[in-house]
Amino acid sequence: LMFALSLLLGTTITITSNHWIMAWAGLEINTLSILPLIAKSHHPRAIEAATKYFMTQATASALVLFSSMTNAWHTGQWDITQMTHTTSCLILTSAIAMKLGMVPFHFWFPEVLQGSPIITGLILSTIMKLPPIALLYMTSHSLNPTLLTLMAIMSAALGGWMGLNQTQIRKILAFSSISHLGWMAIIIPFSPKLTMLNFYLYVLMTSAIFLTMNTVKVLKLSTLMTSWTKAPALNTMLLLTLLSLAGLPPLTGFLPKWLIIQELTKQNMAPTAIIISLLSLLGLFFYLRLAYCATITLPPHTTNHMKQWHTYKPTSTLIAVSIVMSIMLLPISPMIPTIL
């Protein structure tokens, strides 16, 4: 409970701060409070994950501090929105990319997620991404669009490409997170509000998937194949949530991609929009494979697995609400104005 409260405190401090030192302090509180949650199981892999996480986050925090001090040295401003020095902006972009796990600073993220328990993995993929995204949002007007576009396309490409041959579900979700970050980064210089919308919907869909995995206690594809006997209805909804995360219409996940492509074409960046849309097809492949293993059939495999007993444990309301929103927000959005 103490660590969870510290997490919330750190996140709140970073999001509400105007001064760079306060933002940095919030990021540090966040990093220190998540470390015990990663290393909780005392497994060597969990300790390794915590060490890797600490190293990268400490480096990124040092870079955030360095960029803000350089900016203050040249401009006399400690205000987050007054980031005007060019070199400081480039260093800050690199630091936030390292915090988020964007390409080319992505190597730590799949390893850390793989070494963490499922609920800690959920926190790492959602709440821990909020402070850096908020800093990006506040400094979006002064960041370099070319650098962000380049990093975004690389993130979408690598996130899709490296997720193709994974069998561990947490690693697949880590690479999915990297490719989604690409979509968020590409649009932030032009429409920061769209980035935030994309982030909120990504958090919603990822939470639904992580909570479902936690309920059926599944960590890799081979056990996912036999999990449909445990909770058939939940697995059926998992299929739709995975397709929504892949961005298939008419599900919720299609909404941010649709709006981002529209905004990019308005900015005369149609080739970029085409490239990033084609790269999201790579991600579609591994989401479809997850969906296929979860519900559609048992693929031929040599290892014999015991069929799981059907569990009559009621599904939590949180999972039900997040899954329904992950699937239905886009189809029912035309109805919302009529209801209101």
Side-chain angles (χ1 to χ4, degrees):
L1 181 66
M2 190 176 79
F3 294 129
L5 288 173
S6 305
L7 265 178
L8 290 174
L9 174 72
T11 307
T12 313
I13 288 175
T14 305
I15 291 168
T16 53
S17 59
N18 284 322
H19 197 284
W20 271 115
I21 297 290
M22 285 297 286
W24 172 79
L27 290 171
E28 286 298 303
I29 291 170
N30 255 4
T31 303
L32 293 174
S33 54
I34 193 78
L35 285 172
L37 298 178
I38 298 173
K40 192 169 59 174
S41 64
H42 299 296
H43 190 276
R45 181 168 278 169
I47 306 296
E48 182 191 338
T51 312
K52 284 178 178 171
Y53 186 77
F54 175 72
M55 294 291 192
T56 46
Q57 298 299 311
T59 312
S61 292
L63 282 174
V64 166
L65 207 53
F66 178 57
S67 69
S68 54
M69 282 170 69
T70 314
N71 187 63
W73 178 266
H74 284 279
T75 62
Q77 280 286 353
W78 278 102
D79 196 319
I80 293 180
T81 52
Q82 304 295 321
M83 198 76 173
T84 46
H85 188 245
T86 322
T87 316
S88 302
C89 289
L90 291 174
I91 297 170
L92 178 73
T93 311
S94 311
I96 292 181
M98 199 182 286
K99 280 258 172 219
L100 288 168
M102 276 174 66
V103 176
F105 310 105
H106 66 286
F107 298 103
W108 64 272
F109 189 53
E111 299 295 325
V112 169
L113 215 58
Q114 180 57 32
S116 312
I118 289 190
I119 296 300
T120 310
L122 169 63
I123 293 171
L124 279 170
S125 300
T126 54
I127 300 170
M128 296 301 286
K129 296 269 167 83
L130 186 55
I133 289 269
L135 288 179
L136 265 185
Y137 180 84
M138 286 188 272
T139 55
S140 58
H141 55 275
S142 52
L143 299 176
N144 185 343
T146 318
L147 177 66
L148 279 170
T149 306
L150 197 65
M151 285 167 84
I153 288 176
M154 288 199 304
S155 296
L158 246 94
W161 183 52
M162 291 181 74
L164 292 179
N165 61 348
Q166 299 296 335
T167 54
Q168 297 285 344
I169 294 173
R170 282 171 294 182
K171 275 199 174 177
I172 291 177
L173 288 171
F175 286 118
S176 131
S177 176
I178 292 169
S179 61
H180 275 272
L181 282 171
W183 282 89
M184 291 175 216
I186 202 162
I187 201 67
I188 200 150
F190 312 111
S191 175
K193 285 181 181 173
L194 262 184
T195 298
M196 296 313 286
L197 171 73
N198 194 342
F199 177 69
Y200 295 143
L201 292 179
Y202 162 74
V203 165
L204 180 69
M205 295 181 287
T206 306
S207 305
I209 290 172
F210 268 107
L211 292 170
T212 306
M213 297 297 174
N214 190 46
T215 305
V216 292
K217 296 288 178 280
V218 163
L219 293 175
K220 50 185 190 286
L221 286 181
S222 55
T223 47
L224 184 63
M225 290 174 193
T226 55
S227 70
W228 58 271
T229 50
K230 263 188 180 178
L234 192 58
N235 267 35
T236 311
M237 299 312 275
L238 175 65
L239 162 80
L240 290 170
T241 314
L242 283 164
L243 294 180
S244 180
L245 195 59
L248 285 186
L251 304 167
T252 306
F254 178 59
L255 177 65
K257 293 191 174 177
W258 179 20
L259 294 174
I260 286 171
I261 291 169
Q262 191 179 355
E263 185 63 34
L264 284 174
T265 44
K266 279 183 193 167
Q267 301 288 344
N268 295 324
M269 292 176 70
T272 315
I274 291 168
I275 291 168
I276 201 164
S277 308
L278 289 173
L279 289 172
S280 69
L281 288 175
L282 290 168
L284 176 62
F285 173 81
F286 59 76
Y287 292 123
L288 278 174
R289 192 172 63 164
L290 271 175
Y292 178 80
C293 290
T295 52
I296 298 172
T297 181
L298 285 177
H301 55 91
T302 50
T303 51
N304 291 320
H305 277 287
M306 293 287 287
K307 289 285 185 287
Q308 308 280 353
W309 278 101
H310 199 313
T311 51
Y312 288 102
K313 194 171 67 175
T315 308
S316 76
T317 319
L318 180 63
I319 300 180
V321 171
S322 57
I323 284 182
V324 168
M325 287 175 74
S326 304
I327 297 166
M328 295 299 293
L329 271 186
L330 179 58
I332 63 167
S333 55
M335 290 167 54
I336 296 168
T338 57
I339 296 166
L340 297 175

